[in-house]
Amino acid sequence: MIAPLQLLWGYYMRWTVRWPALAAFVPFLPLIALWSLIVSLGVFPRAFLPGPLDVLSKGWALLYKGILTDYLADSLARLAVGAAAGMAIAIPLGVFIGLNRRAYEISWPILLFFQAIGDIAWLPILLVWFGFGLTTMTFVIVYTVLFPVVLNTVLGIRTVKPELRRAAQSLGASRTRILFEVMLPGALPNIITGLRNGLGYGWRALIAAEIIVGTSGIGFLMFDARRAGSVEEIVVGMIVLGVLWYIVDSWLLAPIERATGQRWGLVTT
Amino acid sequence: MKSLVLENLSKTYFDPYRGTQFTAIKDVSLQVGEGDFVAVVGPSGCGKSTILNMIAGFVPISGGRILVDGHQVKGPGPDRGVVFQSHALFPWKTVAENVTFGPKMRGVGKAERARIADEYLALAGLSHAAERYPNELSGGMQQRVGVVRALANNPDVLLMDEPFASVDAQTRMTLQEELTRIWEERRPTVVFITHDVSEAVFLANRVVVLSKGHVLAEVAVPLARPRSWTRLVEDDGFKALSNQVLQLVRSA
């Protein structure tokens, strides 16, 4: 029993080295098989639990009509704008707080307080203030991205080894040069971690905001499908969310992490 | 390279637990001439690292004066190059970029920096490692880079804080021999902090023994140069001096 499994595992390792895309795809095969099995056993009515092929054909139909791509583009654009704005505020703020002891002492409790008021907890009051619109959604994403990036940037700046700053000082670096040559690169692995968390939370917050606020986007697609009673469409939306995050994380964020923190030996895998 | 003078240097810390002043360094005076190599030894807690941190400008002084080339020290500056025990190389810069960090801060151009990198990496026998990152190097290689990074910036005084304490014994002897060779070639002014008596005697022209924050004794080391371990390990003069310093340190 053990030997064939080991053999299979050996093949799997070799194939995934040759085609890394397999490693992203193969683990889902048993999951899809289980799904098919449960559906074919007829435990739940088809209208409640559609099979993989139903979902696939629905997904194809949505893609073919252009709805899926339009909504996806909307969601991604919102996330990109929100994340960019969030980072533009969060990184300088985090650097400032990390470098300045007084600012740190004063702002840390405030940061923890507001971080605890989750993104979605802001929705009720935002709807009162800004109504059902883009402002509300952007606010939620910026807010969600902001805190993990600020907190991790502060942490990163504060944990840069003091010898590195001293070394730079006695090599004649000015304060500005130390900021750009030592503090920022030293904090970069933490900043990327913050970004990774922030984008992950932001993505979730966006879907929630789209469900409540939305006029378009993947979250809206899913909630709208509920109204029409199309469970297939809901499942399509869920799968799109998972696939998209996998792509962002493994094709965008992980390579940045490998090229920086891991290459420099600041982060161990 | 220029001279270094310590005049009645002292350092007191406030001890928050006892509510009293604690004297770490008391009335230390020392003259290091241009091109001299002085080692400071002493048991742990004797204040040798504090002295180096004050000379480097990392720690404010409580009394006395520190003069480099006649100018009083105020904070860290490129006139005093520092080699750290923890090497303190910038992990995100290649070996060549680390070595030319000082010149880059001074605004030295790219071509000249490349020449400096070539020269100093050759001096340390590291030409093959120019494009590597520090974490890809062995501990000994990291320390070599640390030494030439400080040298490449042409400081008046080179301050070395137990730079070879965390490498293995064989590598340490090699590094010591390389450092004497570099010093004999270039004659930088060096203050070398260590707790290793034979290291101090092997490297220095003069050994300062520190005890409880003051200078216990100064021992001149008139051993011939160039020095190498193969020769000195059996040398009677070396043994006698090492013994003498060791007795002083143990009595401290």
Side-chain angles (χ1 to χ4, degrees):
Chain A
M1 187 62 206
I2 302 285
L5 269 180
Q6 274 181 345
L7 194 69
L8 209 61
W9 183 250
Y11 276 118
Y12 179 63
M13 290 321 266
R14 244 173 289 163
W15 288 336
T16 50
V17 166
R18 203 182 293 174
W19 296 290
L22 276 182
F25 182 66
V26 171
F28 290 99
L29 290 180
L31 217 60
I32 294 169
L34 186 69
W35 178 13
S36 305
L37 183 73
I38 293 172
V39 169
S40 67
L41 285 176
V43 187
F44 305 101
R46 264 288 161 102
F48 283 3
L49 183 69
L53 285 176
D54 306 328
V55 171
L56 196 68
S57 73
K58 187 71 190 180
W60 176 249
L62 286 171
L63 202 64
Y64 189 74
K65 284 190 224 156
I67 296 174
L68 194 58
T69 40
D70 280 1
Y71 280 5
L72 198 58
D74 281 351
S75 289
L76 284 177
R78 284 169 196 156
L79 183 69
V81 170
M87 279 160 57
I89 304 168
I91 294 175
L93 189 65
V95 169
F96 173 74
I97 295 170
L99 289 175
N100 190 317
R101 206 188 134 76
R102 283 179 202 150
Y104 173 79
E105 297 287 349
I106 294 299
S107 63
W108 193 252
I110 298 173
L111 286 174
L112 289 181
F113 176 82
F114 279 102
Q115 187 208 20
I117 306 172
D119 33 53
I120 307 170
W122 275 91
L123 274 173
I125 201 165
L126 289 176
L127 289 173
V128 173
W129 289 346
F130 304 119
F132 292 81
L134 193 61
T135 317
T136 300
M137 278 195 279
T138 311
F139 188 100
V140 168
I141 301 166
V142 171
Y143 187 90
T144 316
V145 172
L146 189 77
F147 285 94
V149 179
V150 170
L151 295 174
N152 279 286
T153 305
V154 171
L155 184 73
I157 292 283
R158 287 176 66 88
T159 50
V160 171
K161 286 190 187 146
E163 302 97 75
L164 294 183
R165 198 199 292 226
R166 288 180 166 185
Q169 282 177 327
S170 44
L171 288 165
S174 65
R175 286 171 69 104
T176 319
R177 293 309 281 270
I178 289 175
L179 175 63
F180 285 100
E181 305 271 354
V182 180
M183 305 314 281
L184 278 177
L188 190 61
N190 285 90
I191 295 175
I192 292 168
T193 303
L195 200 58
R196 211 171 179 171
N197 291 339
L199 281 177
Y201 300 150
W203 183 230
R204 274 169 247 179
L206 172 69
I207 300 308
E210 280 177 350
I211 284 176
I212 295 172
V213 178
T215 44
S216 68
I218 298 295
F220 174 74
L221 174 108
M222 291 165 68
F223 210 61
D224 204 39
R226 182 203 64 109
R227 233 172 277 147
S230 170
V231 180
E232 289 100 335
E233 222 170 295
I234 298 178
V235 178
V236 168
M238 290 164 72
I239 292 174
V240 167
L241 294 183
V243 169
L244 212 67
W245 179 251
Y246 186 92
I247 290 173
V248 169
D249 193 73
S250 65
W251 293 1
L252 189 71
L253 299 175
I256 297 176
E257 215 159 54
R258 274 197 296 275
T260 57
Q262 286 177 22
R263 174 102 208 253
W264 304 334
L266 294 177
V267 187
T268 45
T269 39
Chain B
M1 295 280 174
K2 304 284 166 53
S3 65
L4 167 73
V5 177
L6 311 185
E7 280 178 11
N8 308 102
L9 194 62
S10 72
K11 178 71 190 174
T12 52
Y13 291 105
F14 182 71
D15 184 340
Y17 297 104
R18 290 183 187 165
T20 53
Q21 295 288 329
F22 167 76
T23 306
I25 300 294
K26 198 167 56 192
D27 210 22
V28 167
S29 293
L30 185 66
Q31 296 221 3
V32 184
E34 185 165 353
D36 203 357
F37 195 130
V38 170
V40 178
V41 294
S44 59
C46 70
K48 52 191 190 297
S49 283
T50 306
I51 291 183
L52 184 126
N53 283 333
M54 286 193 289
I55 303 173
F58 300 146
V59 168
I61 64 177
S62 308
R65 290 203 306 171
I66 300 172
L67 302 169
V68 174
D69 188 26
H71 300 290
Q72 198 160 345
V73 162
K74 290 186 199 80
D79 51 336
R80 287 146 291 140
V82 182
V83 182
F84 298 83
Q85 182 181 344
S86 59
H87 71 71
L89 299 175
F90 304 118
W92 43 87
K93 292 183 179 291
T94 63
V95 166
E97 287 166 348
N98 264 285
V99 170
T100 54
F101 185 84
K104 188 181 174 189
M105 293 305 109
R106 269 188 282 126
V108 171
K110 222 171 175 179
E112 175 63 7
R113 291 210 305 271
R115 192 201 60 72
I116 292 172
D118 286 347
E119 179 190 340
Y120 283 90
L121 288 175
L123 186 68
L126 284 168
S127 302
H128 61 286
E131 297 310 316
R132 288 202 225 160
Y133 285 93
N135 82 307
E136 299 165 337
L137 307 179
S138 69
M141 289 161 86
Q142 290 169 338
Q143 281 308 347
R144 287 186 182 94
V145 179
V147 173
V148 290
R149 178 179 68 175
L151 275 178
N153 203 30
N154 239 335
D156 292 343
V157 181
L158 189 60
L159 305 170
M160 307 183 78
D161 189 7
E162 306 201 38
F164 307 146
S166 50
V167 295
D168 65 85
Q170 276 73 36
T171 309
R172 188 179 310 145
M173 292 171 92
T174 315
L175 289 174
Q176 288 159 352
E177 290 187 329
E178 283 176 15
L179 181 62
T180 24
R181 172 179 59 78
I182 290 172
W183 182 83
E184 282 152 17
E185 245 176 77
R186 310 214 157 207
R187 298 283 164 152
T189 312
V190 181
V191 176
F192 192 102
I193 305 286
T194 178
H195 59 261
D196 181 342
V197 167
S198 53
E199 177 172 77
V201 174
F202 178 83
L203 290 170
N205 293 339
R206 191 154 41 105
V207 177
V208 175
V209 181
L210 217 62
S211 164
K212 298 185 189 87
H214 69 271
V215 175
L216 188 71
E218 283 195 31
V219 179
V221 184
L223 297 171
R225 293 181 184 271
R227 296 177 187 171
S228 73
W229 277 115
T230 35
R231 203 134 41 74
L232 284 185
V233 85
E234 292 298 326
D235 185 272
D236 288 332
F238 175 77
K239 285 187 198 163
L241 281 164
S242 298
N243 249 323
Q244 185 192 345
V245 175
L246 187 63
Q247 294 308 320
L248 285 164
V249 170
R250 296 194 67 180
S251 74

